[in-house]
Amino acid sequence: MKVIAESAFNHNGSLDYLKQLALEAKNNGTDFFTVQVMDVSAFCVKEYSKYDIYKENTLSFNEWKEFFVFAKQIELDVIPCILDIPSLDLCLDHDFNLLKIHATDITNISLLERLVALNNVDLILETQCATNLEINFAINKLGDRVKCLIHGFSNYPTEIEDLNLNTLDYFKEYFPQYKIGLADHSLDTEKIPLMALAKGCSFLEKHITLTRNNRNFDYQVSLYPNEFGAMISNIKHYEKALGIKMKHPMESELKYRDVMYKKVLESGNYMRADKGMDFMTHRLDSLDSQKVGVALIARLKSKRLPLKVLKPFHDTFVIDFLYKRLKMSKKLTSVFLATSPLNEDQELVKFAQEHDHCVFLGHPVSVIDRMLSLALEEELGAIFRVTGDNPFTDIDFIDEMIQLMWDNNLDYVRVNNVPFGVSAELFSTKYLWKLYLGMENPMMSEYLTQFVLEDETARKGCLDIESEVENLKYINLSIDYPADLDRAYTLIEELNSDNLYHISFSDIIKRIDKLEREDENKMIKLAGGEEIKFSDFLSKLANQEYIIRKKIKF
């Protein structure tokens, strides 16, 4: 949970005060500092009862410009709360890409229409005093510009019975696409912030001041810098208790698991023992390695190319083409479309069933859970991960990989130096289980390859492809963007085959040299938000300690 220090009008119109307040917020650990930027003449009419107060206590635009420079100098992330269109223009001139919309502007149609027309600007939407109807109105106008909904109560200080923290649960249920936050105007600096943390807030906003003695504006709910720092320290401490959003043993639990879980005895009984395997380890370890299946991983969640696996391809559609190709393998036992039971994937499930695909519904996020569940149900001793956006996955390679695993008792097999989207990954089920237990967070198992790369104990094997095509490994035949689909269509035209299902890699490699290469210096994502240069990632794949490397020349 990120903490936002709210300055509001605690600066009383003094730039020096605001600078000092920002510096204190920075030094006491705040993640963001929010300011209310106002052009009084655009904000309210002169006859408004508080016009003179605002006029006397508002910074000029030149002062705001100086403050923005100061904030950059002290490396403080500022979130301007823009209160009118001239203030919006000022902040856009200073390249802010995250802005806050005050709750009282939630139906300010002129401002909303101006905001929705902007590029590369994200919005935090406050909702104090707003009705559900008005929140929906703003969201329908702003669309995906909104990244977070902030709940709060406008009475200062907010009484405990008025906080209504269950609104946060309501937001999560009815607006699941947005992060949630709390603008906390209570006097509590310990329990309410921790309740917001437990409710899953991404942001907590609290007022900060240098002194409450001036009794100006929001002094009742404003914290001294040391109080603010103590609150942040308390949040950071208890944040550790949240862990990951999944049931999975912590690393420190594994030793207890080994001692406490009952073992499978030779008699067939289950009792605590120092030797032997727990039931699940024993079950997965005993599966027949000759039974090898494919988990064809696909869902319909892609935003870069919506419904990409259902796009037309050859004489059918991407996912059906790939499924039929995989079924041509001589050594595979079974092929399953492995997707989720969520409503958003029901169109894919219906399509697969209509095309006679075997379908398995598993965990929507944890890919390794989905694969292990499939292996357990179908009693597969080894399982491929093939992603549904890779229609050119090579069947001959798949059969070679299976034989390599059988001949060398391998945990993991892959193909190196081929275009992205041609190779699959083969795991022994018992190794996949070991990998799973050792993961800190299986919800990150979309990046399954990374976990294998970091495991120096696995028995790995590979097919090393040799060809005269320059930079073959930098060609992308996977489909993730519209340009990727166009590239695949171009290759289909080049292949010029009535029966593309039987096309071999030898056929592809003769016609692939014309395709553009990916930038070897581009950054690709890893688990935990880390990134690695594409060329460095491919180098890591090629330079693993493989037990066996089989070279194949084309």
Side-chain angles (χ1 to χ4, degrees):
M1 183 170 71
K2 302 296 185 182
V3 178
I4 302 173
E6 166 68 90
S7 64
F9 274 81
N10 283 331
H11 52 74
N12 302 315
S14 168
L15 176 59
D16 289 339
Y17 186 104
L18 183 61
K19 286 181 177 180
Q20 184 60 38
L21 188 60
L23 187 59
E24 290 288 353
K26 168 76 175 180
N27 292 339
N28 280 278
T30 193
D31 297 295
F32 297 97
F33 188 74
T34 185
V35 294
Q36 293 183 353
V37 185
M38 175 191 293
D39 177 350
V40 180
S41 61
F43 178 75
C44 63
V45 298
K46 288 186 177 180
E47 293 77 19
Y48 182 52
S49 59
K50 295 185 178 180
Y51 177 87
D52 291 337
I53 296 175
Y54 287 132
K55 196 70 175 176
E56 294 169 5
N57 293 279
T58 300
L59 298 180
S60 69
F61 275 16
N62 285 334
E63 288 175 314
W64 279 122
K65 292 176 183 179
E66 184 177 337
F67 174 75
F68 295 153
V69 172
F70 173 78
K72 284 188 177 180
Q73 290 173 342
I74 66 171
E75 298 181 341
L76 177 64
D77 289 325
V78 173
I79 304 175
C81 179
I82 47 102
L83 298 175
D84 46 71
I85 290 178
S87 298
L88 169 62
D89 291 335
L90 172 68
C91 294
L92 293 177
D93 288 341
H94 284 77
D95 298 323
F96 285 103
N97 54 23
L98 179 61
L99 302 173
K100 189 170 68 170
I101 308 304
H102 198 272
T104 55
D105 281 314
I106 202 164
T107 53
N108 183 344
I109 189 66
S110 299
L111 181 61
L112 299 185
E113 289 180 347
R114 178 68 195 285
L115 287 166
V116 78
L118 300 176
N119 293 320
N120 302 318
V121 174
D122 294 335
L123 303 172
I124 293 176
L125 183 63
E126 288 190 331
T127 64
Q128 289 95 308
C129 298
T131 65
N132 185 73
L133 186 68
E134 289 164 321
I135 294 171
N136 272 299
F137 176 84
I139 285 174
N140 289 335
K141 287 292 182 185
L142 297 172
D144 59 7
R145 289 280 181 273
V146 177
K147 301 302 176 184
C148 178
L149 297 177
I150 297 281
H151 168 60
F153 190 84
S154 291
N155 189 30
Y156 293 2
T158 303
E159 300 300 336
I160 194 76
E161 62 269 25
D162 289 330
L163 283 167
N164 197 21
L165 296 184
N166 283 335
T167 295
L168 298 167
D169 296 324
Y170 176 84
F171 280 173
K172 286 192 291 184
E173 181 176 355
Y174 288 95
F175 306 107
Q177 65 271 45
Y178 306 120
K179 295 178 180 178
I180 60 170
L182 176 67
D184 181 17
H185 302 132
S186 74
L187 297 176
D188 195 320
T189 61
E190 294 184 357
K191 296 179 178 61
I192 297 302
L194 294 182
M195 290 179 73
L197 178 68
K199 285 284 190 180
C201 282
S202 295
F203 297 96
L204 174 75
E205 182 180 281
K206 276 279 200 180
H207 285 246
I208 189 170
T209 187
L210 297 181
T211 178
R212 289 189 285 263
N213 282 331
N214 56 26
R215 293 299 191 265
N216 282 342
F217 302 109
D218 307 323
Y219 78 91
Q220 306 99 320
V221 295
S222 296
L223 305 181
Y224 281 96
N226 64 310
E227 294 173 322
F228 206 90
M231 180 189 70
I232 290 177
S233 178
N234 195 47
I235 290 171
K236 298 303 180 186
H237 173 71
Y238 285 101
E239 196 167 32
K240 299 173 184 177
L242 292 179
I244 62 172
K245 194 177 180 180
M246 186 179 188
K247 179 54 187 166
H248 193 71
M250 303 295 291
E251 182 180 358
S252 57
E253 276 187 294
L254 294 178
K255 59 184 178 182
Y256 300 109
R257 174 189 171 88
D258 188 54
V259 172
M260 297 171 63
Y261 267 46
K262 292 179 179 178
K263 306 296 197 306
V264 180
L265 305 182
E266 290 184 6
S267 63
N269 293 326
Y270 302 96
M271 299 178 69
R272 283 195 180 183
D274 293 326
K275 295 182 180 180
M277 301 178 185
D278 63 81
F279 171 81
M280 192 57 69
T281 302
H282 180 271
R283 183 79 181 92
L284 295 174
D285 191 71
S286 63
L287 294 176
D288 185 359
S289 63
Q290 297 296 304
K291 294 185 66 174
V292 183
V294 169
L296 181 51
I297 305 296
R299 292 191 55 205
L300 297 183
K301 63 177 183 175
S302 175
K303 294 182 179 179
R304 294 185 288 265
L305 181 59
L307 304 178
K308 61 182 178 180
V309 298
L310 297 180
K311 296 296 183 185
F313 198 88
H314 187 44
D315 59 356
T316 180
F317 302 88
V318 171
I319 196 70
D320 185 51
F321 177 84
L322 177 54
Y323 186 90
K324 290 174 179 175
R325 283 262 291 171
L326 293 169
K327 291 290 287 184
M328 293 167 55
S329 164
K330 298 181 179 67
K331 294 178 180 175
L332 283 173
T333 304
S334 59
V335 178
F336 278 82
L337 171 66
T339 188
S340 90
L342 299 183
N343 288 335
E344 62 195 74
D345 293 318
Q346 287 308 297
E347 182 179 353
L348 176 58
V349 172
K350 182 180 178 182
F351 173 91
Q353 291 171 340
E354 289 174 348
H355 288 76
D356 297 322
H357 296 184
C358 294
V359 178
F360 180 81
L361 304 182
H363 199 288
V365 179
S366 173
V367 172
I368 195 169
D369 262 275
R370 210 182 311 168
M371 292 173 65
L372 281 168
S373 297
L374 173 59
L376 184 65
E377 183 169 304
E378 294 299 314
E379 299 184 338
L380 303 173
I383 187 165
F384 277 94
R385 179 177 73 153
V386 177
T387 55
D389 52 8
N390 290 344
F392 292 105
T393 300
D394 190 87
I395 305 306
D396 295 330
F397 288 159
I398 279 182
D399 288 341
E400 288 275 6
M401 293 165 74
I402 292 172
Q403 194 63 52
L404 198 67
M405 174 173 279
W406 287 345
D407 291 345
N408 298 278
N409 189 28
L410 299 176
D411 296 321
Y412 172 82
V413 187
R414 67 168 296 104
V415 185
N416 289 325
N417 197 34
V418 290
F420 192 72
V422 168
S423 172
E425 290 180 291
L426 176 59
F427 301 82
S428 72
T429 303
K430 63 181 180 181
Y431 172 63
L432 199 61
W433 171 250
K434 176 188 173 185
L435 200 64
Y436 175 66
L437 282 180
M439 283 184 179
E440 182 179 343
N441 185 3
M443 300 292 273
M444 303 300 294
S445 57
E446 176 184 353
Y447 306 96
L448 196 50
T449 308
Q450 179 186 346
F451 293 98
V452 178
L453 292 180
E454 294 171 354
D455 184 2
E456 297 180 356
T457 68
R459 292 179 57 83
K460 306 172 192 175
C462 71
L463 305 180
D464 280 330
I465 305 306
E466 296 180 351
S467 80
E468 296 181 358
V469 178
E470 186 177 359
N471 290 329
L472 178 65
K473 62 188 177 183
Y474 291 115
I475 296 175
N476 181 17
L477 294 183
S478 186
I479 297 174
D480 197 29
Y481 291 89
D484 300 332
L485 186 61
D486 292 340
R487 187 184 306 113
Y489 289 160
T490 298
L491 182 56
I492 289 175
E493 291 177 5
E494 287 287 329
L495 291 168
N496 191 26
S497 172
D498 293 331
N499 191 351
L500 201 64
Y501 298 100
H502 292 280
I503 289 294
S504 69
F505 188 64
S506 296
D507 298 319
I508 289 175
I509 209 168
K510 293 173 185 175
R511 296 166 176 82
I512 204 173
D513 205 15
K514 295 179 182 179
L515 298 182
E516 71 273 22
R517 273 58 171 174
E518 293 285 333
D519 179 5
E520 62 184 77
N521 292 314
K522 76 174 184 178
M523 304 303 291
I524 61 175
K525 290 182 179 179
L526 299 176
E530 296 180 12
E531 292 186 334
I532 186 173
K533 195 158 61 173
F534 188 31
S535 58
D536 291 342
F537 183 70
L538 293 181
S539 179
K540 288 187 71 172
L541 289 175
N543 295 304
Q544 291 288 296
E545 291 294 326
Y546 293 107
I547 299 296
I548 181 74
R549 309 182 74 125
K550 182 175 180 179
K551 294 184 178 179
I552 302 178
K553 293 185 178 181
F554 286 91

